Amino acid sequence: MIEKDYLITAAEGLHARPATSLVRLVKKYKSVASLKRGDKTVRLNSMLNILSMTLKGGDTITIIVEGEDEAVAAAAIDTFFKEELKKL
Amino acid sequence: MKGIGASPGIAIGRALVLKKQEILVTGMSLPNEEDVQRETEKFEYAVRTAVGEVEAIKATLPEDDAGLEVMEVQIELLQDEQIRTDVIGKIAVEKRYASDAVIEVIEAARETFRNMNDEYFSARMADVQDAGNRILRHLNGSLPGAGQMIGATQILGAAQIVRENTIIIAEDIAPSDTIVMDITKVSGFATQAGSKTSHAAIIAKAKGIPAVVGCGAGLDIIKTDDLVIVDGSGGLVIVRPSQSKIDEYAAKKIAFTKQAAVLNTLSDVGACTTDGVRIHLLANISSAAEMQESLAFGAEGSGLLRTELLFMGRNTMPGEEEQFEFYRSIAAGAKGRPIIVRTLDIGGDKQLPYFGLPAEANPFLGYRAIRISLDRKETFITQLRAILRASQYGQLKIMLPMISNIQEVRQARAILEEAKTGLSLADIAFDKDIALGIMIEIPSAAVTADILAKEVDFFSIGTNDLCQYTLAVDRMNERVKHLYDPFNPGVLRLIRNVIGQGDQHHIHTGMCGELAGDTLATLLLLGMGLREFSMSASSIPAVKNIIIHNSMERAREISQHVMAMDSSQAITDYLQEAMKS
């Protein structure tokens, strides 16, 4: 299991468009990826779940990845938060 | 029937009812396992068909179309794993029919969104509903029994618009509807749900199509092809009108069109009352492009340049050079007209992640605007230096937001002097006499306008926050927002005091809140002595039209009358009456 914290830097938060990209990215891997903020955890394979967390700029979240390809999956998600999110 | 006029104008045309498919929640259980299997397959099929449908629409859109994003979100929601798991779970475990399961799952999701505090996320409810409706439409078969009814707008009905002069009648307009609609053939909108800020209202306003929203269930009586009149100015929908009504509204429509044409010719006319008092009408802007657009409406400069745009949607603070370029381009674009630059008004509901500000229990009463600027001096100095440098290229003034006492003015002025000294030492040119003014938007500032007037060069009344703080009303809170009322006698007295104190101390007072562009308030404010109004550029012609047809004498009479009244209801009734004559 790989766990890592991220700070949402995009001013407008994690909106529908980046959420779409994130879900599509997560679906490429076999591992189960979840997003945790406070005491609420949701699976990352659902856009509805991500939107329901109302993630805004400045929020800190924890991403948890678990499964056979967890290392690659976690790395891809890491790139998403560090690089792709800026471009969206 | 009565609704909310969301976009002005008159439309007379044939109705196209984007009918709710009244899908019933049967409340029945599936008799056996075969049914579970069948309903699950039906659901999977409906999702696949719905996705195919959206893909097909998407394929018709040009590559840079803004609608593509809406479609991508739709596709993702249709295939959403959480929705799928929940629906299939309901079918398999609770033995629900597929359509019941979808309705219940979507309703639960809508509930989550409805309770969100954030406007953006809350508005995604429409996207979720949109996806749910799309799936439901493809779940065919008759549904026995009765129960709770929910409406599902028939989205693709929107693609059926073939006839000119169509009036769209719908429960509400979903974001994806307007993309597939041939909007050039739509002459009016009437919806059951919605408010002035709903999607339908915004689209209609942007396209200049008359619209009435929030009409309620009464719209159900309208059938496709019925003759309908939509009066977006009066907030009325008339179904199957009599010939005399048609004639009446045809005349009104011509008058409105003429009026719009008259307003268009006003852009070069100076705003002067009939007795020769010159009034200045300016635009509220956020960018150089908006500066250019405002000139077409006859703006005489900008009474409010918001600088937040420069700081938002990015991960680092814009540096002095970047800010300088922003202010310089606007100053130059104004061609000598004055521009009032408001220093950073961030905090509260407008957050910058790179500022790392923690969430607050009362953001509107918290760490925001001038409070941040005075606390983070480096940030403030950078902005002031950039504005000062740009002051070489036009007529710039500096305005401080959220001033609540005189110490803040003194502190800010000291920092401004420091910035000026820095530039002088480096031999960088700037306007040494640049005016420093303040927003009057906190009641304490309005009440102590006499004190503040001695140390600032101008006032600008920000009615939105002034109203919110004076009446202790959060405009975003549905339960109390009806109390938000700039015509409340308490708010009007504060405004009158500020204008009066500004006059006494010979400083200039302007207004840059919503009230400045509200034609109902124009004569009242004129009569109070306001000489500078700053508003969204598109409101300028209508306000100007009132000014050039009235005298100061009449405006004074009206304002004296209003100030003696005891309730906002009486005041607005009286002003509406006064506007007619």
Side-chain angles (χ1 to χ4, degrees):
Chain A
M1 189 179 76
I2 301 173
E3 234 185 277
K4 191 164 175 183
D5 287 352
Y6 293 95
L7 172 72
I8 307 279
T9 49
E12 62 278 8
L14 200 55
H15 271 193
R17 190 167 39 151
T20 306
S21 309
L22 182 57
V23 170
R24 288 182 181 174
L25 177 75
V26 166
K27 283 186 182 166
K28 287 184 196 161
Y29 302 94
K30 289 188 186 129
S31 298
V32 172
S34 328
L35 183 159
K36 183 173 169 225
R37 187 190 50 190
D39 50 8
K40 198 178 163 194
T41 306
V42 295
R43 285 277 303 268
L44 268 180
N45 60 356
S46 156
M47 160 111 133
L48 190 73
N49 285 351
I50 298 176
L51 290 179
S52 72
M53 297 292 271
T54 44
L55 297 173
K56 299 180 195 173
D59 282 354
T60 302
I61 55 169
T62 309
I63 298 290
I64 304 149
V65 188
E66 191 167 14
E68 51 181 290
D69 56 357
E70 60 185 33
V72 226
I77 294 171
D78 197 53
T79 312
F80 173 84
F81 277 104
K82 285 192 176 141
E83 302 297 331
E84 296 300 315
L85 199 53
K86 282 181 198 160
K87 289 187 223 152
L88 289 162
Chain B
M1 85 201 64
K2 190 99 183 100
I4 305 161
S7 175
I10 309 279
I12 307 173
R14 293 284 172 186
L16 173 63
V17 180
L18 300 185
K19 196 58 187 160
K20 305 180 297 178
Q21 258 185 346
E22 281 170 1
I23 295 172
L24 314 172
V25 173
T26 64
M28 286 169 65
S29 297
L30 297 168
N32 52 53
E33 280 308 314
E34 278 163 39
D35 298 309
V36 169
Q37 182 66 21
R38 188 198 65 226
E39 289 299 305
T40 307
E41 278 165 16
K42 267 173 68 179
F43 170 70
E44 304 274 23
Y45 171 79
V47 168
R48 278 198 307 275
T49 322
V51 170
E53 183 183 280
V54 180
E55 295 276 11
I57 299 169
K58 206 183 104 188
T60 66
L61 297 173
E63 236 172 72
D64 55 346
D65 196 283
L68 281 177
E69 192 187 321
V70 179
M71 292 298 157
E72 289 292 344
V73 171
Q74 239 345 257
I75 291 171
E76 204 48 57
L77 280 174
L78 286 170
Q79 299 172 305
D80 193 273
E81 275 303 320
Q82 193 62 53
I83 295 178
R84 185 174 176 276
T85 311
D86 291 351
V87 169
I88 290 179
K90 272 190 187 289
I91 297 172
V93 182
E94 296 175 35
K95 311 281 179 229
R96 312 286 286 153
Y97 276 90
S99 68
D100 282 11
V102 171
I103 291 170
E104 287 165 7
V105 168
I106 295 296
E107 196 42 53
R110 275 168 54 93
E111 198 52 45
T112 312
F113 282 86
R114 195 177 290 131
N115 293 328
M116 285 176 182
N117 267 328
D118 181 277
E119 209 172 326
Y120 170 83
F121 285 104
S122 189
R124 301 283 68 74
M125 192 165 87
D127 293 304
V128 174
Q129 179 77 67
D130 213 0
N133 290 348
R134 217 178 268 281
I135 296 172
L136 284 174
R137 262 205 336 277
H138 293 288
L139 282 171
N140 55 359
S142 59
L143 303 156
Q148 178 210 0
M149 306 233 276
I150 75 145
T153 313
Q154 186 169 342
I155 296 144
L156 273 205
Q160 301 160 0
I161 306 170
V162 285
R163 199 164 46 190
E164 301 288 328
N165 213 11
T166 295
I167 291 180
I168 301 288
I169 309 289
E171 185 181 309
D172 201 356
I173 312 268
S176 67
D177 296 350
T178 43
I179 292 163
V180 297
M181 259 180 217
D182 181 357
I183 209 108
T184 59
K185 291 185 173 128
V186 176
S187 62
F189 284 110
T191 64
Q192 292 197 358
S195 65
K196 278 193 177 188
T197 53
S198 62
H199 188 75
I202 291 164
I203 288 284
K205 227 170 151 179
K207 304 276 178 190
I209 298 168
V212 179
V213 299
C215 299
L219 277 191
D220 274 344
I221 60 164
I222 302 178
K223 308 236 169 354
T224 292
D225 289 337
D226 274 351
L227 191 63
V228 173
I229 297 174
V230 171
D231 176 359
S233 311
L236 283 174
V237 178
I238 301 162
V239 192
R240 297 186 281 275
S242 61
Q243 191 56 46
S244 64
K245 273 279 174 218
I246 295 174
D247 294 344
E248 181 192 333
Y249 275 90
K252 274 196 187 176
K253 185 181 158 93
I254 292 168
F256 181 85
T257 316
K258 269 193 189 158
Q259 166 93 341
V262 168
L263 293 182
N264 280 337
T265 64
L266 288 179
S267 67
D268 296 328
V269 177
C272 232
T273 60
T274 53
D275 41 2
V277 179
R278 184 74 167 86
I279 307 300
H280 297 283
L281 302 180
L282 296 86
N284 296 344
I285 60 170
S286 315
S287 66
E290 284 182 21
M291 178 74 243
Q292 289 314 311
E293 285 162 23
S294 76
L295 296 181
F297 288 102
E300 298 173 76
S302 172
L304 172 62
L305 165 59
R306 303 182 184 94
T307 57
E308 291 74 60
L309 207 64
L310 189 57
F311 291 79
M312 289 167 93
R314 53 189 298 151
N315 299 319
T316 51
M317 187 78 75
E320 185 180 317
E321 281 313 310
E322 190 179 348
Q323 291 196 47
F324 163 69
E325 189 42 46
F326 176 81
Y327 306 129
R328 191 203 58 79
S329 67
I330 293 170
K335 301 184 180 72
R337 296 174 181 86
I339 304 283
I340 297 180
V341 186
R342 179 175 71 188
T343 61
L344 192 57
D345 187 7
I346 214 77
D349 57 342
K350 288 176 277 187
Q351 286 293 351
L352 296 180
Y354 53 85
F355 260 48
L357 301 179
E360 298 182 357
N362 292 303
F364 282 102
L365 305 180
Y367 188 59
R368 60 176 288 207
I370 191 69
R371 299 166 183 182
I372 296 181
S373 291
L374 293 177
D375 191 42
R376 302 195 176 189
K377 196 174 143 191
E378 287 314 308
T379 307
F380 193 34
I381 284 219
T382 303
Q383 183 171 34
L384 292 174
R385 276 177 64 100
I387 298 170
L388 285 167
R389 286 173 54 196
S391 67
Q392 279 293 92
Y393 300 86
Q395 194 191 335
L396 297 186
K397 302 178 187 186
I398 298 171
M399 175 161 76
L400 309 170
M402 288 281 291
I403 292 289
S404 67
N405 62 50
I406 193 88
Q407 290 99 301
E408 287 165 342
V409 176
R410 289 176 185 152
Q411 262 181 284
R413 194 178 278 285
I415 297 173
L416 176 64
E417 289 310 319
E418 198 180 319
K420 284 183 179 175
T421 309
L423 289 174
S424 297
L425 287 175
D427 265 337
I428 298 170
F430 61 92
D431 175 5
K432 293 190 168 53
D433 300 317
I434 195 162
L436 178 69
I438 57 173
M439 291 274 289
I440 302 281
E441 53 190 335
I442 296 182
S444 66
V447 173
T448 59
D450 56 327
I451 299 174
L452 295 164
K454 290 176 188 150
E455 299 192 24
V456 300
D457 301 316
F458 64 90
F459 287 152
S460 182
I461 307 173
T463 53
N464 303 357
D465 273 339
L466 182 61
C467 194
Q468 156 159 302
Y469 290 135
T470 304
L471 302 175
V473 169
D474 176 357
R475 272 186 296 168
M476 304 296 176
N477 184 332
E478 290 287 331
R479 286 184 176 166
V480 297
K481 74 174 187 192
H482 63 280
L483 293 170
Y484 177 89
D485 181 1
F487 292 98
N488 177 297
V491 178
L492 294 180
R493 277 165 205 231
L494 286 179
I495 293 172
R496 187 183 57 175
N497 182 57
V498 174
I499 299 171
Q501 291 299 336
D503 278 350
Q504 263 192 30
H505 292 85
H506 308 290
I507 70 162
H508 189 82
T509 303
M511 178 178 284
C512 61
E514 289 289 327
L515 197 62
D518 185 341
T519 51
L520 201 57
T522 307
L523 290 176
L524 169 63
L525 294 169
L526 265 188
M528 287 181 179
L530 193 71
R531 297 288 176 269
E532 189 182 295
F533 297 65
S534 192
M535 62 198 80
S536 51
S538 63
S539 301
I540 291 177
V543 170
K544 190 185 278 182
N545 196 36
I546 292 174
I547 293 170
I548 61 175
H549 287 103
N550 283 281
S551 65
M552 271 312 296
E553 198 187 331
R554 175 151 196 264
R556 270 191 217 104
E557 271 171 33
I558 287 176
S559 98
Q560 273 162 15
H561 208 93
V562 164
M563 295 317 287
M565 293 179 142
D566 60 4
S567 74
S568 70
Q569 184 63 51
I571 292 170
T572 47
D573 285 351
Y574 167 74
L575 288 173
Q576 245 141 20
E577 209 44 51
M579 287 284 289
K580 283 181 191 157
S581 54

